[in-house]
Amino acid sequence: MAIVQTLDFFPPIVDSPYEFGSIAAANAISDIYAMGGMPIIALNILGFPSNLPKDILGAILKGGYDKAREAGVIVVGGHTIDDEEPKYGMAVTGIIEPGKQITKSEAKPGDVLIITKPIGTGIITTAAKQGIADNATIQKAIEVMSSLNHNASDVMTKIGANACTDITGYGLIGHLGSILEASSVGAKLTLSDIPMIDGISGLLKQGIAPGGTHNNLLSSQDLVNWSSGISQESKLSLCDAQTSGGLLMSVPSSKSDDMMRELLQAGVPTIAIIGEIVEGPAQIQVVK
């Protein structure tokens, strides 16, 4: 038996303290799922202004506790400091059988790329902060961010994937790039197959995107070959900085049908084959 550990925390991205806590916990636990591990215990990490009502602090912790409990994770303690800006997250410990961990370095040409959540949360939360996004769009983003990758990880370990990562701050393009670099392969993505949260297209046309998303696009210049006719908005969407995104799996094509069927039966709400691994340098070809 081996131990795997991870740590993640960040400032609020939604108005509700409870939902913020839930999202932060799901995000922290996700790294364990991406490795094919089972999370077991967590420690809270919290920065909180001393002049804010303590019921806000309690709601953040309750959101994190409830999400950890849903994941079967025991919160065994933590540490809080006085901070001008609230910040919350968890250090999570999981277990895994040595040799069965899923890393980013074993993707093979011919693998298909499967994603388990739609993208666009960075764009939507930025729009929400500016008072532009409608409530239905915001709630959909919260639902996506607060959902656990537990079932997707269980199916992945059962069927078998060559490589996996979860999609967070570097966006779909950035995190796929980390798989390609570690595995010394390339990839081809089909834009029309990539699931996106309804509403982000309109927000992008209004010029709404977080700074991290723009930075991701800028840093991907040497990584991505965009087919002609792909809009700047579409490029930004694929580089959008996510919070608590889905798993991105590199799966042998011989197992892809079984993987998709089992993910559907496990109740994973969004699953899509979005591309494939190809031979060549660590670069991504994006086609319409």
Side-chain angles (χ1 to χ4, degrees):
M1 190 66 65
I3 287 175
V4 287
Q5 293 185 294
T6 186
L7 162 67
D8 211 325
F9 64 103
F10 47 79
I13 57 171
V14 294
D15 289 337
S16 165
Y18 180 86
E19 289 173 336
F20 167 49
S22 177
I23 292 166
N27 181 75
I29 294 168
S30 181
D31 279 338
I32 304 296
Y33 291 139
M35 292 183 273
M38 180 176 73
I40 53 173
I41 59 174
L43 292 166
N44 285 321
I45 300 168
L46 182 69
F48 194 78
S50 58
N51 61 348
L52 282 183
K54 295 301 183 289
D55 60 345
I56 295 176
L57 184 150
I60 293 172
L61 292 174
K62 181 66 163 59
Y65 172 83
D66 286 350
K67 186 56 60 174
R69 185 176 181 181
E70 181 186 339
V73 173
I74 301 170
V75 181
V76 296
H79 187 65
T80 305
I81 63 168
D82 183 10
D83 197 345
E84 292 182 0
E85 181 183 42
K87 300 175 183 70
Y88 176 63
M90 289 179 167
V92 186
T93 299
I95 54 175
I96 197 166
E97 183 178 337
K100 291 191 175 181
Q101 68 273 15
I102 298 174
T103 68
K104 295 186 284 188
S105 61
E106 296 298 326
K108 303 289 192 297
D111 286 0
V112 299
L113 292 165
I114 297 176
I115 195 173
T116 65
K117 284 186 183 182
I119 60 176
T121 58
I123 293 161
I124 293 170
T125 54
T126 298
K129 291 174 185 177
Q130 298 179 21
I132 295 174
D134 62 80
N135 189 62
T137 301
I138 295 170
Q139 288 303 312
K140 178 59 179 177
I142 290 173
E143 177 186 328
V144 168
M145 292 186 290
S146 60
S147 65
L148 293 169
N149 285 323
H150 186 178
N151 291 345
S153 180
D154 282 351
V155 171
M156 176 179 70
T157 55
K158 174 184 175 182
I159 302 299
N162 283 335
C164 181
T165 185
D166 59 338
I167 303 171
T168 52
Y170 293 116
L172 170 59
I173 290 294
H175 287 285
L176 174 56
S178 69
I179 289 179
L180 304 185
E181 183 177 355
S183 301
S184 299
V185 292
K188 181 179 179 180
L189 293 180
T190 302
L191 177 63
S192 59
D193 291 337
I194 298 171
M196 302 184 191
I197 303 173
D198 291 342
I200 70 166
S201 177
L203 295 172
L204 282 166
K205 288 178 181 177
Q206 297 178 63
I208 306 298
T213 297
H214 286 283
N215 290 338
N216 288 344
L217 179 56
L218 184 63
S219 65
S220 70
Q221 289 181 346
D222 295 331
L223 174 64
V224 187
N225 295 314
W226 304 95
S227 292
S228 61
I230 293 180
S231 67
Q232 181 75 359
E233 288 82 6
S234 293
K235 293 177 183 179
L236 283 168
S237 66
L238 269 58
C239 294
D240 187 37
Q242 303 298 280
T243 298
S244 191
L247 300 184
L248 176 64
M249 310 174 191
S250 181
V251 180
S253 58
S254 60
K255 297 181 178 181
S256 62
D257 288 345
D258 290 341
M259 185 73 80
M260 295 292 284
R261 182 180 63 254
E262 292 280 348
L263 287 169
L264 185 63
Q265 291 176 354
V268 179
T270 299
I271 50 173
I273 295 175
I274 62 171
E276 62 181 337
I277 298 294
V278 298
E279 293 183 355
Q283 291 187 326
I284 304 168
Q285 174 70 42
V286 181
V287 300
K288 288 185 173 182

